Amino acid sequence: MSSAEPAAAEPAAPKSRAGRNLPAAIAVGVALGAIIIATLVWYKYLFAVLVTVAMVIAVWELYNAFLHNDINIARTPLYVVAIVGPTLAYLYGVTAHLAIFGAFVVVALMWRIRRGTEGFVADATGSLFVGFYLLFMVGFVMLMLREPDGVTRIVAFVAITICNDIGGYAAGVLFGKHPIAPQVSPKKSWEGFAGSVVLQVAVAIPIFIIGFDEQWWKGVIFGVVMSITATAGDFIESAVKRDLGVKDMSNFLPGHGGLMDRLDSLVVSAPVIWATLALLLPIAR
């Protein structure tokens, strides 16, 4: 090749239909799964530590996303709840979890008053939204973890949520023709949702039979409920990002975007699944 010829461009990393770097997304997903499994197998409180770290990062992402729209949320109170909230919920249960957020509401509102009244409603509303949409909802994961069979509950919760993404992506790519809500997330189709339901139910049944020693039909209920809540979480996160004018919450996870872009289904599902498991597994409570 002569010196006058331009150098051949390096091949771009393959991307998924959603525009992601697929190899990076898979590698990061596998690494996150390995970390979660390691903490649960070794000592389950380490999972609470992992959740705490994740919450601090997620608050940072949401703070920057809101600031992009001139909404200044109460960052310090949110960080405090992100750090102490998971541990207190894990150690002391529902009462501590509710008390934390009762106190948070008062502190967050008073924290904003220091800067005067201009923009108070927008900033205070943003603070409470982040507190309850993220931190309050994730606290229910800790309430699941503290149960005697908490490790199995978390494995079921995370595994079935992952199946929502896998089943929805595969069926959507192969068969997707009818979008559910194109104005919010044009790539999510009813065919993809059906794929999510099928895979989640298929995986939930053996988890309930082997992991919980329960009837198969309880796995069907669990899988269907998770399909609804996980899909709702995807749409809610998409709506939040569209309203804030951001494509991803950050670039923290290669191939995925921000950490919140991976937590969306888990966040919304957490309280519903906590209650569902409490009803389906009364003996273990």
Side-chain angles (χ1 to χ4, degrees):
M1 182 176 65
S2 67
S3 59
E5 293 178 346
E10 293 187 9
K15 293 187 176 182
S16 69
R17 188 177 176 183
R20 301 291 186 189
N21 183 329
L22 195 55
I26 294 173
V28 169
V30 170
L32 290 175
I35 292 171
I36 291 172
I37 292 172
T39 60
L40 291 170
V41 170
W42 189 13
Y43 179 48
K44 74 176 185 178
Y45 178 69
L46 289 178
F47 181 75
V49 175
L50 181 65
V51 169
T52 299
V53 173
M55 290 303 95
V56 170
I57 296 170
V59 167
W60 168 74
E61 290 180 343
L62 286 166
Y63 170 79
N64 287 318
F66 274 82
L67 199 61
H68 179 73
N69 289 263
D70 297 322
I71 300 173
N72 198 334
I73 63 176
R75 178 171 48 174
T76 300
L78 286 166
Y79 278 140
V80 170
V81 175
I83 292 170
V84 305
T87 294
L88 292 179
Y90 174 78
L91 293 176
Y92 302 109
V94 175
T95 301
H97 183 51
L98 295 177
I100 290 166
F101 284 90
F104 165 74
V105 171
V106 177
V107 172
L109 294 177
M110 294 301 297
W111 194 268
R112 176 56 183 80
I113 285 177
R114 302 173 308 144
R115 294 200 302 270
T117 58
E118 184 176 354
F120 175 82
V121 172
D123 292 348
T125 302
S127 299
L128 298 184
F129 174 83
V130 173
F132 281 89
Y133 169 62
L134 174 64
L135 302 177
F136 180 74
M137 304 286 262
V138 170
F140 288 93
V141 177
M142 295 298 98
L143 297 180
M144 284 189 273
L145 183 66
R146 76 188 303 266
E147 297 290 347
D149 59 350
V151 170
T152 307
R153 295 187 185 217
I154 297 301
V155 169
F157 174 58
V158 175
I160 304 305
T161 302
I162 293 172
C163 288
N164 179 74
D165 290 337
I166 295 174
Y169 177 81
V173 168
L174 294 174
F175 310 110
K177 293 181 179 180
H178 302 89
I180 299 173
Q183 70 278 16
V184 178
S185 186
K187 294 184 182 297
K188 296 190 184 302
S189 64
W190 285 109
E191 293 83 0
F193 176 70
S196 295
V197 174
V198 170
L199 184 59
Q200 286 177 280
V201 169
V203 174
I205 289 174
I207 288 178
F208 268 73
I209 294 174
I210 299 171
F212 293 119
D213 192 24
E214 288 284 348
Q215 298 95 324
W216 65 270
W217 59 265
K218 292 186 177 182
V220 175
I221 294 174
F222 184 79
V224 171
V225 170
M226 279 235 45
S227 299
I228 296 170
T229 58
T231 302
D234 286 339
F235 278 111
I236 291 169
E237 178 76 0
S238 295
V240 170
K241 289 191 293 187
R242 283 181 178 274
D243 189 42
L244 294 177
V246 296
K247 181 179 183 295
D248 294 319
M249 285 299 181
S250 74
N251 297 314
F252 183 76
L253 296 176
H256 291 270
L259 189 60
M260 275 302 302
D261 297 304
R262 293 297 87 207
L263 295 177
D264 49 8
S265 299
L266 293 165
V267 166
V268 173
S269 296
V272 178
I273 297 309
W274 169 76
T276 301
L277 288 175
L279 293 173
L280 295 177
L281 307 172
I283 298 176
R285 295 196 66 202

